[in-house]
């Protein structure tokens, strides 16, 4: 009996499940690219977890909307739930609306896929009671090009404007972005879209500037700018009015394109082209400026090669300086400070070379030249920089085999460096995967805490010992203060009173560090006695005491910048001598 009841329940459940219907219905299976499609997902049970299809190739313009109806006829009930969508195709061809699904009593039910054939746009019949204004003759996307016959590297601008009249626009989406093959491009940011008024096709229109781009063609001949295409939501006035007498607007959709544009690019003339021309086009100024021309051996100077002006600033290279062998020249630091507006790119670019002399002498940096094509005159122009003489005032004299004041390029590749790019060592790794457990890394992480513990203990003891050495710490502090105040004195060379205050503090702290004395013990006799007892030279001791005594007096007396510099140099020499002499 029990088995019979179970079997009866299973048959009854299967019968109930077999009655579940879930299907998708469309308003049409063939439609134009500009027509709407309605699709309904209908079920005769109250299913849960409805999952819509992805609608690839369509854009949802309305939905989902849900409707539920239930009725009783002759004692029998009927139930129907519907999910409805309105779709607009985004491409032509055969499109497939995939399956949707619901869940009912633990079972999943799915619809069958539906094929939709999308053709080209069709002419829509007009309803005399509906929209009278269309977007076809009231919405245009235009690409304004500043010049269609430029030279290579001459800037041109493309401004995309959306003209509209008698309709409203609320949103737009890019379907196809313009591509600038064989152009160097730079977009100009538009922070806010502003509607303006202007003339178009002999009539007044409103327009919005959507995009601004500066282009530099990189080759000659016919170059094509691919079109910008937009999908725009529009509001169209109708013949109907609301209860307040206002015109009712109908929501619509319009696709517009700026169309492809062809640019005929001219090649730069060969006549008169300079030998060192690197592609600069525009209007420029060229300068070569050294940070200084007189320096000592071991000191360095910066040689800045710069170009300022307006043109293709990022699309040419700066000339390189040629220096003698006795000057060590390092790779340049490149800097750019340029901005892009509708008329093109302008600003300054520079290369800064660090140069260090090796020997005493006078070394020339040869005159450099920069050539560019002037768009105003249609000719090439060349700017020459003056020759620069670097005077190295001291240092060893170069031998006959080394000294060479003629220009020799420093970036010579020697024979032992010719094959540096070839890797002579291999770094092979096994393709067999290794387990982390019992690997070297595993044991390293396992024993690392035990290995680091003794180091931590030793470090802690060392720090405690250093912190407990009050006398040694005091000496270190005085040394730091001496260096600090000596550095401060150097910064105050142009300010007399702060300079001598800092210099006096530097010398006092030096004595505290070297003689292990306090401020109360710093009398003239005591200092002299302690320095002499530490085997310091008597002349140096006398100079030290004289300079410390003068620091107070000179602060309130007249003194020149030369005297201040001499006092600073004297203090450096005295401290350096005492550092060597004190035992």
């Amino acid at each position: 009996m029990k088995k019979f009841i179970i079997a009866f329940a299973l048959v009854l459940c299967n019968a109930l499940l077999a009655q579940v219907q879930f299907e998708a219905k469309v308003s049409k299976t063939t439609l134009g690219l500009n027509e709407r499609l309605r699709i309904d997902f209908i079920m005769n049970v109250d299913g849960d977890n409805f999952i819509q299809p992805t609608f690839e190739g369509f854009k949802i313009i309305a939905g989902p909307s849900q409707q539920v109806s239930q009725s009783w006829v002759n004692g029998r009930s009927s139930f129907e739930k519907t999910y409805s969508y309105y779709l607009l195709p985004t491409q032509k061809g055969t499109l497939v609306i995939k399956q949707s699904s619901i869940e009912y009593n633990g079972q999943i039910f799915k619809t069958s896929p539906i094929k939709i054939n999308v053709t080209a746009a069709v002419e829509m019949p007009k309803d005399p009671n509906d929209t009278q204004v269309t977007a076809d003759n009231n919405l245009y996307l235009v690409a304004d090009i500043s010049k269609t016959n430029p030279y290579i590297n001459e800037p041109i601008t493309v401004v995309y404007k959306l003209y509209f009249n008698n309709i409203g626009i609320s949103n737009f989406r890019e379907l196809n972005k313009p591509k600038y093959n064989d152009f160097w491009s730079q977009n100009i940011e538009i922070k806010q879209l502003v509607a303006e008024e202007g003339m178009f096709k002999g009539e007044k229109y409103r327009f919005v500037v959507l995009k601004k781009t500066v282009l530099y063609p990189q080759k000659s001949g016919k170059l094509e700018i691919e079109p910008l295409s937009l999908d725009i939501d529009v509001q169209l006035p109708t013949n109907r009015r609301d209860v307040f007498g206002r015109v009712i607007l109908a929501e619509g959709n319009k696709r517009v394109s700026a169309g492809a544009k062809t640019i005929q690019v001219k090649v730069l003339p060969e006549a008169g082209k300079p030998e060192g021309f690197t592609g600069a086009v525009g209007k420029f100024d060229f300068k070569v400026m050294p940070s200084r021309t007189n320096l000592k051996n071991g000191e360095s100077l910066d040689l800045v090669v710069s170009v300022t002006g307006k043109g293709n600033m990022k699309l040419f290279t700066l000339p390189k300086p040629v220096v003698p062998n006795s000057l060590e020249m390092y790779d340049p630091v490149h800097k750019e400070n340029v901005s892009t507006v509708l008329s093109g790119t302008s600003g300054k670019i520079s290369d800064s070379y660090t140069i260090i002399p090796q020997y005493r002498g006078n070394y020339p940096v040869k005159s450099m030249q920069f050539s560019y094509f002037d768009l105003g005159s249609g000719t090439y122009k060349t700017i020459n920089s003056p020759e620069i003489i670097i005077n190295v005032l001291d240092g060893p004299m170069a031998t006959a085999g080394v000294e060479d004041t003629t220009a020799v390029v420093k970036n010579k590749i020697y024979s032992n460096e010719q094959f540096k790019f070839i890797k002579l060592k291999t770094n092979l790794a096994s393709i067999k995967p290794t387990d982390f457990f019992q690997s070297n890394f595993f044991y390293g992480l396992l024993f690392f805490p035990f290995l680091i513990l003794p180091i931590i203990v030793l470090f802690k003891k060392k720090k405690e010992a250093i912190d407990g050495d009050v006398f040694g710490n005091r000496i270190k502090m005085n040394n730091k203060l001496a260096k600090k105040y000596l550095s401060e004195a150097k910064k105050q060379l142009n300010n007399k009173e702060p300079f001598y205050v800092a210099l006096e503090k530097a010398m006092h702290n030096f004595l505290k560090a070297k003689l292990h004395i306090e401020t109360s013990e710093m009398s003239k006799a005591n200092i002299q006695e302690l320095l002499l007892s530490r085997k310091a030279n008597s002349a140096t001791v006398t100079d030290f005491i004289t300079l410390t005594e003068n620091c107070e007096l000179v602060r309130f007396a007249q003194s020149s910048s030369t005297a201040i510099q001499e006092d600073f140099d004297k203090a450096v020499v005295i401290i350096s001598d005492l550092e060597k002499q004190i035992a």
Side-chain angles (χ1 to χ4, degrees):
M1 184 65 180
K2 185 177 181 180
K3 292 182 179 179
F4 175 76
I5 293 174
I6 294 173
F8 178 76
L10 291 174
V11 171
L12 180 62
C13 289
N14 289 332
L16 291 174
L17 293 175
Q19 295 176 2
V20 175
Q21 296 180 356
F22 180 47
E23 60 181 346
K25 293 183 179 180
V26 293
S27 57
K28 58 178 72 176
T29 56
T30 301
L31 70 157
L33 189 62
N34 58 335
E35 291 184 298
R36 297 183 180 185
L37 174 71
R38 174 172 175 165
I39 182 168
D40 297 320
F41 297 95
I42 306 170
M43 64 192 79
N44 66 343
V45 293
D46 191 10
D48 298 321
N49 300 328
F50 171 71
I51 300 177
Q52 69 181 43
T54 56
F55 296 123
E56 295 179 5
F58 291 91
K59 180 182 69 173
I60 300 175
I61 58 176
S65 61
Q66 179 179 329
Q67 295 178 350
V68 177
S69 63
Q70 191 171 7
S71 62
W72 292 83
V73 178
N74 296 328
R76 299 183 61 183
S77 66
S78 62
F79 176 88
E80 185 176 273
K81 181 192 285 189
T82 304
Y83 290 94
S84 300
Y85 294 83
Y86 286 91
L87 309 177
L88 185 69
T90 59
Q91 62 188 61
K92 295 189 296 183
T94 301
L95 307 179
V96 178
I97 298 177
K98 297 182 179 180
Q99 295 175 311
S100 64
S101 64
I102 60 168
E103 183 179 350
Y104 180 71
N105 287 340
Q107 297 289 325
I108 302 297
F109 297 89
K110 297 183 178 181
T111 61
S112 300
I114 301 176
K115 291 184 178 180
I116 304 296
N117 183 30
V118 181
T119 64
V122 297
E123 185 176 357
M124 304 290 289
K126 294 184 179 180
D127 184 352
N129 297 318
D130 203 351
T131 303
Q132 296 299 304
V133 178
T134 65
D136 294 338
N137 298 321
N138 293 283
L139 187 65
Y140 298 93
L141 180 61
V142 177
D144 286 340
I145 298 179
S146 61
K147 193 171 185 178
T148 58
N149 189 27
Y151 283 104
I152 293 178
N153 275 321
E154 180 180 358
I156 62 173
T157 58
V158 183
V159 180
Y160 295 92
K161 297 180 181 179
L162 182 65
Y163 287 91
F164 57 98
N165 190 21
N166 298 324
I167 62 173
I169 57 174
S170 58
N171 191 23
F172 65 89
R173 295 163 293 277
E174 288 189 359
L175 298 177
N176 294 314
K177 292 186 177 181
K179 296 180 181 179
Y180 309 112
N181 298 325
D182 300 316
F183 290 92
W184 183 90
S185 63
Q186 178 70 52
N187 289 326
I188 298 176
E189 181 183 3
I190 299 177
K191 296 182 179 180
Q192 185 177 3
L193 299 179
V194 179
E196 304 177 47
E197 290 188 355
M199 297 299 294
F200 181 70
K201 292 187 174 182
E203 298 180 10
K204 282 187 177 182
Y205 273 78
R206 301 183 73 195
F207 69 91
V208 176
V209 177
L210 302 178
K211 192 181 185 71
K212 299 178 182 179
T213 306
V214 177
L215 304 177
Y216 285 88
Q218 298 300 293
K219 73 175 187 179
S220 59
K222 287 186 178 181
L223 304 183
E224 186 173 285
I225 300 175
E226 297 186 9
L228 170 67
S229 299
L230 301 177
D231 184 12
I232 303 174
D233 294 334
V234 296
Q235 292 78 45
L236 307 173
T238 68
N239 288 335
R240 294 175 294 172
R241 296 180 179 271
D242 59 16
V243 294
F244 299 103
R246 294 173 299 191
V247 175
I248 296 177
L249 299 179
E251 295 291 333
N253 180 269
K254 177 67 176 177
R255 296 181 179 184
V256 292
S257 174
K261 302 294 181 181
T262 300
I263 308 296
Q264 183 68 42
V265 182
K266 297 181 291 186
V267 67
L268 294 175
E270 290 295 327
K273 180 182 290 187
E275 184 177 351
F277 178 70
T278 59
V281 177
K283 186 72 174 178
F284 304 103
D285 187 23
F286 173 66
K287 290 183 179 180
V288 180
M289 298 291 294
S291 59
R292 52 179 172 171
T293 55
N294 298 319
L295 65 161
K296 299 177 182 178
N297 178 41
E299 295 180 336
S300 65
L301 66 91
D302 292 330
L303 187 69
V304 180
V305 181
S306 64
V307 169
T308 58
K310 183 178 179 181
N312 58 335
M313 300 294 295
K314 297 184 178 182
L315 301 175
F316 59 83
T317 56
L318 294 172
K320 296 181 179 180
V322 178
V323 301
N325 252 357
S326 297
L327 299 180
E328 188 74 25
M329 185 173 69
Y330 294 87
D331 291 337
V333 176
H334 185 73
K335 293 183 180 180
E336 293 183 357
N337 183 18
V338 298
S339 60
T340 304
V341 295
L342 274 180
S343 58
T345 303
S346 61
K348 177 180 180 180
I349 60 173
S350 64
D351 286 340
S352 179
Y353 296 85
T354 298
I355 298 177
I356 301 177
Q358 303 297 312
Y359 303 100
R360 184 195 311 174
N362 298 328
Y363 302 99
V365 177
K366 279 191 174 182
S367 172
M368 301 169 61
Q369 68 176 22
F370 173 75
S371 301
Y372 66 93
F373 182 74
D374 185 11
L375 293 170
S377 61
T379 59
Y380 293 96
K381 294 187 177 181
T382 300
I383 303 174
N384 293 293
S385 68
E387 184 180 73
I388 300 171
I389 303 297
I390 306 299
N391 302 315
V392 184
L393 303 178
D394 65 357
M397 293 294 295
T399 61
V402 175
E403 184 177 8
D404 181 12
T405 57
T406 61
V408 180
V409 179
K410 294 297 296 179
N411 55 357
K412 178 180 178 182
I413 300 176
Y414 295 95
S415 58
N416 61 342
E417 297 180 346
Q418 290 179 353
F419 301 99
K420 271 193 172 182
F421 65 93
I422 300 177
K423 293 184 177 180
L424 302 179
K425 295 182 180 180
T426 59
N427 185 18
L428 303 178
S430 174
I431 61 174
K432 183 179 179 181
T434 57
D435 295 331
F436 171 71
F437 182 68
Q438 293 185 344
S439 64
N440 292 336
F441 186 56
F442 169 80
Y443 287 114
L445 292 178
L446 182 64
F447 293 109
F448 179 75
F450 300 100
L451 296 175
I452 200 67
L453 187 60
I455 298 175
I456 295 175
V457 173
L458 292 175
F459 177 79
K460 185 177 180 183
K461 289 183 177 180
K462 182 67 175 177
K463 188 176 184 304
E464 290 175 351
I466 293 173
D467 293 341
D469 185 8
V470 179
F471 182 73
N473 289 336
R474 186 183 301 160
I475 294 173
K476 291 179 182 178
M477 179 59 69
N478 290 333
N479 265 323
K480 289 182 179 178
L481 289 173
K483 293 178 181 178
K484 173 185 173 182
Y485 287 119
L486 192 61
S487 176
E488 180 65 24
K490 186 176 181 180
K491 295 178 182 178
Q492 299 292 341
L493 285 173
N494 295 325
N495 300 311
K496 182 180 67 175
E497 186 172 345
F499 166 78
Y500 282 107
V501 171
L503 186 63
E504 184 179 12
K505 289 182 178 181
M507 300 183 74
H508 283 178
N509 281 283
F510 173 76
L511 284 182
K512 289 180 183 181
K514 291 300 178 182
L515 301 181
H516 309 163
I517 62 176
E518 298 298 329
T519 304
S520 59
E521 302 174 287
M522 294 183 65
S523 65
K524 175 181 177 181
N526 190 33
I527 291 173
Q528 186 171 11
E529 181 181 351
L530 289 174
L531 287 175
L532 292 175
S533 66
R534 299 287 292 274
K535 298 181 181 180
N537 186 281
S538 59
T540 306
V541 174
T542 303
D543 291 341
F544 183 89
I545 293 173
T546 302
L547 185 58
T548 54
E549 290 176 345
N550 287 343
C551 283
E552 182 68 26
L553 298 174
V554 176
R555 274 189 290 169
F556 305 101
Q558 294 292 332
S559 59
S560 64
S561 59
T562 304
I564 294 174
Q565 181 66 50
E566 290 177 356
D567 286 342
F568 177 78
D569 295 339
K570 186 185 295 183
V572 173
V573 173
I574 291 172
I575 290 175
S576 177
D577 291 343
L578 288 176
E579 184 78 33
K580 299 174 184 177
Q581 295 169 10
I582 293 177

